[in-house]
Amino acid sequence: MFENVELGHRLDKETYRERSEAVRLQLLDLEYRLVQERSFATLILINGVDKAGKGETMNLLNSWLDPRHLDSHAIDRPSSEEEERPYMWRFWRRLPPRGRIGVFFDNWYADIIESRATGRSKRSAFEAALERVRRFEEMMTAEGVLLLKLWFHISAKELKRRLEKLSKDERTSWRVRESDWRYLEHYDEYVQTAAAAIRHTSTGVVPWVLVDGADDRYRAVFVGETLAGAWQRKFEAVERGERGAPPLVLVPDLEERPNAVSALTLQQPMGKRAYERRLEELQGRLDTLVRDARFAKRSLVVVFEGMDAAGKGGAIRRVTAALDVRRYQVVPIAAPTDEELAQPYLWRFWRRMPGHGRVVIFDRSWYGRVLVERVEGLCAPADWMRAYAEINDFEEQLIENGTVVVKFWLAIDPEEQLRRFREREQDPLKRYKITPEDWRNREKWPQYELAVGDMIERTSTEIAPWTLVEANNKYYARVKVLHTLCERLEASL
């Protein structure tokens, strides 16, 4: 989930100066409009990894905004008065009224995540608490509150570097406590628990916004532009007479926002001779695994996604060449039929799920909602935003039932795609593969790239991670696909 916010986003001083000045003016204008019109309340939740900039962001908001209209609350252990009452009571009593801004540091998520990460609560209690929180947040949104949830993230390596740097300096060593080192020791448990909480509570109307905390300047501008975008959209919704919150601006318009896909080195070395040798080996290994008696109690679902001409079809053919035709089915996904449109979105995929001992390969999949439908405007923003949580839940149910879910994103760059398009046009046997729609989609490459980054970030889970395949070299891509399938199957048997 956190791949995109561990890539080291940076802003140089000059860019930061220009953008920070612009966003501060915009924030003040919007804040004063909020105070004057009193049409809704704003609640900002600040959560995340220790030392990722949470406290600095609270201070930033107090300095960039007029603090007279802002109430900041650092939520700590409950008082004796609060312990006598239901858990959410202490948050209810601090909610901002219309025309004001509330900032909650840690808030209701802190204890829920810590209790589960440290083993003090069971999974059932953890999920029940998150469901209660989700209903609470959706209720607030329905009442007109603008709720902005920020999760600040840094890697374990960066956290260790910061703690060591602070500890070595006598002027800052007081800022490092024993609890900080304990947090670092159990970093993986905290982050995995947080990822589960985010997936469960990131909905179409109340999504989480993940913030890269590695660079102070980037973090500040990102938060400022995110808040400004959310306010602007909320005011527009109020003008239209809409009470609930509109979708937030998940990605502010920074000049560059690299993601896990854009960080790949797409041209990987592999020649035809090495490819053919590895192909035979891996196809034999895959066939043996699918015939293994233990696979009779499993099933395999393989998802292929990627830009047009990324090589999905070629990779699929190399996989199916290793399988008994009676054991697998390839499902190419196109526009939904009238029958499918009459059902909930995931219905047409549920009905394709394999029984034990069988394989289903999807050439495009349920991710169309957060890719094609999002970019082409075929569904409302609230629909594709809530689809992330629905997809994660769908895949989790498959895995709990013994299905091995393997998801591939085949990545190529625009230049390689153009070369392949032109090659197809010149080949009589491949002309059918290139259509006017393919050329039209090229014009929306940046929008698709953004959608892919969000998709990877929000649906790459511990139990169903995305495998990113560098596909400029088709030989390398096919070998990586087969190798990954074999590795995942072996681990499951």
Side-chain angles (χ1 to χ4, degrees):
M1 171 172 288
F2 300 112
E3 292 94 336
N4 284 1
V5 287
E6 289 186 352
L7 293 174
H9 303 87
R10 294 281 188 269
L11 282 185
D12 58 65
K13 289 182 179 180
E14 182 60 26
T15 302
Y16 171 73
R17 184 186 64 78
E18 294 175 0
R19 290 192 173 273
S20 62
E21 287 180 2
V23 76
R24 289 180 69 178
L25 289 172
Q26 186 182 13
L27 286 171
L28 284 171
D29 288 341
L30 291 167
E31 181 188 17
Y32 289 135
R33 181 178 175 183
L34 174 72
V35 172
Q36 291 173 352
E37 297 182 5
R38 301 176 64 85
S39 53
F40 60 91
T42 301
L43 181 57
I44 303 170
L45 305 187
I46 294 181
N47 295 84
V49 174
D50 284 355
K51 299 295 185 287
K54 295 180 292 182
E56 291 85 345
T57 299
M58 283 193 72
N59 294 333
L60 178 81
L61 292 172
N62 275 286
S63 64
W64 280 13
L65 298 171
D66 185 338
R68 294 175 297 176
H69 313 297
L70 185 149
D71 302 311
S72 298
H73 301 279
I75 311 296
D76 204 349
R77 298 296 179 186
S79 66
S80 57
E81 179 187 26
E82 291 167 342
E83 285 182 331
E84 294 175 2
R85 292 168 172 81
Y87 176 71
M88 295 299 294
W89 180 79
R90 59 182 174 144
F91 305 110
W92 271 99
R93 65 202 297 249
R94 292 178 169 90
L95 293 179
R98 292 183 182 181
R100 291 195 66 82
I101 307 156
V103 182
F104 284 11
F105 184 93
D106 282 344
N107 50 77
W108 43 83
Y109 285 100
D111 187 60
I112 294 173
I113 291 173
E114 183 181 7
S115 295
R116 179 60 182 157
T118 57
R120 290 191 290 115
S121 68
K122 295 182 178 179
R123 179 179 176 180
S124 58
F126 173 66
E127 291 178 344
L130 293 176
E131 185 61 28
R132 181 176 59 245
V133 162
R134 185 166 72 170
R135 292 194 299 270
F136 171 69
E137 292 175 350
E138 290 179 347
M139 177 277 303
M140 281 199 297
T141 301
E143 289 294 317
V145 176
L146 174 60
L147 181 58
L148 180 61
K149 302 191 295 188
L150 303 175
W151 181 271
F152 293 78
H153 184 80
I154 54 174
S155 65
K157 181 179 179 181
E158 176 63 14
L159 174 57
K160 182 180 180 182
R161 186 193 69 79
R162 292 186 178 190
L163 291 177
E164 290 176 344
K165 181 179 179 180
L166 291 170
S167 298
K168 291 177 182 178
D169 192 329
E170 293 182 356
R171 297 169 298 177
T172 58
S173 59
W174 60 271
R175 297 177 60 187
V176 180
R177 297 166 294 179
E178 185 62 33
S179 60
D180 294 319
W181 294 109
R182 286 199 302 271
Y183 185 96
L184 177 62
E185 183 179 353
H186 297 283
Y187 175 92
D188 288 342
E189 291 93 325
Y190 277 100
V191 169
Q192 289 172 11
T193 304
I198 290 170
R199 287 195 299 271
H200 194 96
T201 58
S202 192
T203 66
V205 293
V206 195
W208 277 96
V209 178
L210 306 183
V211 183
D212 186 344
D215 179 69
D216 295 349
R217 293 190 290 266
Y218 178 88
R219 182 185 66 227
V221 172
F222 185 97
V223 170
E225 293 196 356
T226 298
L227 175 56
W231 262 341
Q232 188 63 51
R233 275 171 160 68
K234 179 63 176 177
F235 281 121
E236 291 170 358
V238 169
E239 291 174 352
R240 293 192 299 268
E242 298 174 7
R243 183 175 179 81
L248 300 176
V249 177
L250 298 182
V251 185
D253 294 327
L254 296 176
E255 290 181 358
E256 293 185 5
R257 185 179 185 267
N259 57 54
V261 177
S262 64
L264 294 174
T265 301
L266 298 178
Q267 186 63 50
Q268 295 290 339
M270 178 167 284
K272 187 174 183 179
R273 183 174 298 179
Y275 159 70
E276 290 175 344
R277 184 172 61 251
R278 291 284 285 145
L279 180 66
E280 286 288 337
E281 172 197 336
L282 290 167
Q283 286 179 329
R285 184 176 163 194
L286 179 60
D287 177 63
T288 300
L289 288 166
V290 173
R291 293 178 184 274
D292 191 299
R294 293 170 293 178
F295 186 69
K297 296 182 179 180
R298 297 279 187 180
S299 58
L300 175 63
V301 169
V302 188
V303 172
F304 283 90
E305 294 281 1
M307 294 295 195
D308 295 332
K312 297 183 293 297
I316 290 171
R317 287 192 293 275
R318 272 65 186 181
V319 172
T320 57
L323 304 176
D324 185 330
V325 69
R326 294 167 296 184
R327 291 180 177 268
Y328 74 84
Q329 180 184 16
V330 177
V331 181
I333 299 299
T337 65
D338 290 341
E339 180 189 22
E340 291 166 342
L341 286 172
Q343 300 287 348
Y345 175 71
L346 288 172
W347 177 82
R348 62 173 172 153
F349 305 107
W350 270 110
R351 66 202 293 245
R352 299 285 193 172
M353 290 302 108
H356 287 175
R358 293 191 59 80
V359 180
V360 171
I361 301 170
F362 285 91
D363 184 352
R364 302 202 183 278
S365 68
W366 43 91
Y367 285 97
R369 170 133 294 185
V370 295
L371 291 174
V372 176
E373 292 191 17
R374 170 184 174 174
V375 174
E376 302 296 335
L378 299 177
C379 67
D383 292 328
W384 61 256
M385 288 168 70
R386 65 181 166 82
Y388 295 120
E390 293 173 355
I391 287 169
N392 287 331
D393 180 62
F394 170 51
E395 293 175 351
E396 183 177 342
Q397 291 180 64
L398 296 180
I399 292 164
E400 288 177 351
N401 194 53
T403 301
V404 181
V405 179
V406 186
K407 305 182 297 191
F408 294 106
W409 176 265
L410 274 63
I412 58 174
D413 57 37
E415 293 74 22
E416 177 62 20
Q417 184 191 62
L418 179 61
R419 188 191 69 78
R420 294 182 185 185
F421 277 11
R422 289 174 173 166
E423 182 182 80
R424 288 179 176 183
E425 287 183 324
Q426 299 303 315
D427 188 337
L429 297 177
K430 294 183 178 181
R431 284 177 187 168
Y432 75 93
K433 291 186 174 183
I434 188 76
T435 67
E437 185 177 350
D438 296 322
W439 288 105
R440 186 180 62 82
N441 288 342
R442 267 185 64 83
E443 298 174 2
K444 295 188 177 183
W445 187 285
Q447 295 97 309
Y448 274 103
E449 209 167 45
L450 170 62
V452 171
D454 281 351
M455 178 190 75
I456 300 298
E457 183 176 278
R458 296 177 182 278
T459 61
S460 190
T461 66
E462 184 180 3
I463 58 175
W466 278 96
T467 297
L468 307 181
V469 181
E470 303 90 335
N472 270 18
N473 183 331
K474 64 182 180 181
Y475 299 140
Y476 175 87
R478 294 167 183 173
V479 166
K480 183 169 182 177
V481 165
L482 285 163
H483 176 77
T484 302
L485 281 174
C486 292
E487 292 284 307
R488 293 289 302 279
L489 277 173
E490 287 173 347
S492 71
L493 297 180

